[in-house]
Amino acid sequence: MKKLAIVTTHPIQYNAPFFALLASSGKLDVKVFYTWEQSQAGKLYDPNFKREISWDIPLLDGYNYQFSKNSSSNPGSSHFSGIDNPNLIQEISEFSPDGLLVFGWSFKSHLKLLRHFSGKVPILFRGDSTLLDEPKNFSVKKLIRRMLLSWVYKHIDAALYTGEANREYFIKHGIAKDHLFYAPHAIDNSRFKYASLAEEKAEKWRLELGIASNEKVILFAGKLEPKKNPLGLMRAFKELNIPKTHLIIVGTGVLEASLKELAAGDPRIHFLGFQNQQSMPVVYRLADIFVLPSVGPGETWGLALNEAMACNRTVIASDLCGATEDLVNKCGIGWQFEGRNQASLKETLQKALALERKDLLELGGNAGKLIDKFSFDAIANAVIEWTETN
């Protein structure tokens, strides 16, 4: 059985089930090396949520792992020097892998790892960057970045791509098409689809919020930060002023005070604060439409779209979200709008809200069927396929 070493910064809810699936496949001996040692405490301060986060689902079950010592004086995954593991190369060498799967290169240890093992052990890379935020015009800065990234990717043998925007990014930086393996961004679809009594709990919660059964609900769930553009969504909602329509805001962050000031006590706008993972299948079912109005930079996918669709909800997404081409356009579900065009957001929201609630829920049911192909199984199969050919 071939050995696969996986290198990533810290446990997250979008990777742990995939790691466990690989480990249970019977085709690979998997060991995950976490490079942000401090994350093993289980609680991390998230500067965008503006609070300490501790997920309420298990993230270390079902697979072999270890946390590598991180000697950074300012540990974290938000900057290059935040991940510095003096023993990582030795630890991986002792595991003697037949292949490496590395998540992200923009950390001191990860880049060092790529350079060290390049040409010695086959390297598969996972990253979800896109060209969506890249300026169209020529610039020296753009050229230098293109050269840097092309140099980085010369150290890998293949890459997993999440969708069309990510695929174009890898090709632009010199990775051959036949060295790209499709591994869509995914969530635990079954956890969201089949949450016990979620619809009933959501209907009860709607009534507690003063939302009648014939009224429509728009939902935003995520970090309340400029990149996500919740202010733009709230402005569009208030300007449209459509009767029997509510807006629910879920999350915390730097824009929370500004959003509450803009809401100005409007009884149709509801703030539910931060909601942990176990409550999210109910949260999405509060809505008839989920909106991800991101303006970037850096909305490389938008996994909240997957989650909403798995809960049988239709979506509206900015064209600056990496997921929009794959989840909205290709699947024919929901609506896309121009990310930095407030008029486009407002017009799209108005178009969606012109539908009856039952029609919106029918569209959501179609979304729930289509999301199944964006699964952890698809990612695991891509990794196994690559491993078997190297």
Side-chain angles (χ1 to χ4, degrees):
M1 186 184 297
K2 287 189 174 182
K3 290 184 173 182
L4 178 68
I6 300 175
V7 179
T8 189
T9 53
H10 60 292
I12 64 170
Q13 70 273 28
Y14 301 120
N15 286 339
F18 151 58
F19 295 160
L21 192 60
L22 275 181
S24 66
S25 69
K27 297 182 178 180
L28 293 172
D29 179 3
V30 173
K31 185 171 184 179
V32 179
F33 293 83
Y34 286 114
T35 54
W36 186 359
E37 175 196 17
Q38 293 77 6
S39 67
Q40 68 182 309
K43 290 185 177 182
L44 292 171
Y45 180 78
D46 190 306
N48 295 313
F49 272 127
K50 288 295 180 185
R51 58 169 286 157
E52 193 175 68
I53 300 296
S54 177
W55 299 118
D56 59 357
I57 57 175
L59 301 179
L60 296 171
D61 291 355
Y63 61 93
N64 188 17
Y65 66 89
Q66 78 173 65
F67 287 85
S68 184
K69 178 178 174 58
N70 182 20
S71 61
S72 171
S73 59
N74 181 23
S77 60
S78 62
H79 55 291
F80 182 78
S81 60
I83 304 295
D84 186 1
N85 311 96
N87 305 319
L88 181 62
I89 289 175
Q90 179 183 341
E91 289 165 349
I92 291 175
S93 296
E94 289 173 356
F95 179 61
S96 191
D98 298 292
L100 280 173
L101 169 55
V102 180
F103 284 68
W105 66 267
S106 58
F107 311 107
K108 182 177 180 180
S109 286
H110 291 214
L111 184 56
K112 185 178 180 181
L113 187 79
L114 293 178
R115 295 182 67 188
H116 176 84
F117 284 106
S118 179
K120 300 173 185 174
V121 176
I123 299 174
L124 180 63
F125 182 80
R126 177 69 152 174
D128 60 1
S129 296
T130 73
L131 302 173
L132 295 176
D133 300 310
E134 188 176 78
K136 304 301 181 187
N137 299 329
F138 171 82
S139 71
V140 173
K141 182 179 180 181
K142 179 178 172 181
L143 177 62
I144 293 172
R145 179 166 176 77
R146 183 86 76 230
M147 292 171 64
L148 169 63
L149 290 169
S150 297
W151 171 77
V152 169
Y153 295 130
K154 285 184 184 298
H155 294 87
I156 71 173
D157 296 281
L160 301 172
Y161 71 94
T162 59
E164 284 305 307
N166 185 220
R167 180 175 180 272
E168 291 175 14
Y169 165 89
F170 281 130
I171 291 171
K172 196 70 162 180
H173 293 103
I175 300 179
K177 293 180 181 179
D178 60 352
H179 287 198
L180 291 171
F181 292 77
Y182 179 49
H185 259 318
I187 60 160
D188 186 350
N189 289 327
S190 61
R191 185 167 70 82
F192 286 87
K193 275 179 173 290
Y194 307 116
S196 177
L197 302 176
E199 292 287 357
E200 291 87 342
K201 290 176 182 176
E203 281 300 318
K204 182 181 178 183
W205 200 349
R206 281 170 60 108
L207 289 173
E208 290 171 353
L209 292 170
I211 303 170
S213 60
N214 65 335
E215 294 182 313
K216 299 169 200 170
V217 173
I218 304 155
L219 172 69
F220 171 90
K223 296 173 182 177
L224 305 183
E225 59 181 346
K227 178 177 84 173
K228 302 283 188 183
N229 193 30
L231 279 170
L233 175 59
M234 185 176 288
R235 290 191 184 103
F237 172 80
K238 289 179 69 71
E239 289 169 10
L240 287 172
N241 197 27
I242 296 173
K244 295 185 177 180
T245 305
H246 295 251
L247 172 64
I248 293 178
I249 303 289
V250 173
T252 55
V254 294
L255 294 180
E256 185 171 358
S258 299
L259 284 160
K260 288 181 175 176
E261 182 179 353
L262 179 60
D266 188 328
R268 303 170 306 147
I269 300 175
H270 313 268
F271 291 88
L272 301 187
F274 174 81
Q275 299 290 322
N276 218 319
Q277 284 296 296
Q278 289 194 29
S279 65
M280 289 309 295
V282 180
V283 169
Y284 285 112
R285 286 172 169 84
L286 293 171
D288 303 297
I289 308 169
F290 175 77
V291 184
L292 187 57
S294 300
V295 295
E299 190 66 89
T300 54
W301 185 260
L303 281 160
L305 294 169
N306 295 60
E307 293 175 345
M309 290 171 70
C311 292
N312 295 319
R313 271 22 185 198
T314 193
V315 299
I316 294 174
S318 155
D319 62 0
L320 295 174
C321 300
T324 302
E325 179 61 27
D326 300 86
L327 294 184
V328 178
N329 295 337
K330 283 189 171 183
C331 288
I333 292 295
W335 296 265
Q336 170 188 300
F337 72 94
E338 296 175 28
R340 297 191 179 100
N341 184 336
Q342 182 68 15
S344 178
L345 170 56
K346 185 176 174 181
E347 179 184 338
T348 305
L349 199 58
Q350 185 173 33
K351 184 188 301 182
L353 290 170
L355 298 178
E356 297 292 332
R357 188 182 181 212
K358 64 179 178 61
D359 297 323
L360 291 170
L361 292 175
E362 183 179 342
L363 287 174
N366 294 335
K369 296 172 187 174
L370 290 166
I371 200 63
D372 284 339
K373 64 182 179 180
F374 297 84
S375 68
F376 291 130
D377 284 319
I379 306 174
N381 290 339
V383 173
I384 291 168
E385 179 189 352
W386 173 80
T387 307
E388 288 177 344
T389 58
N390 286 277

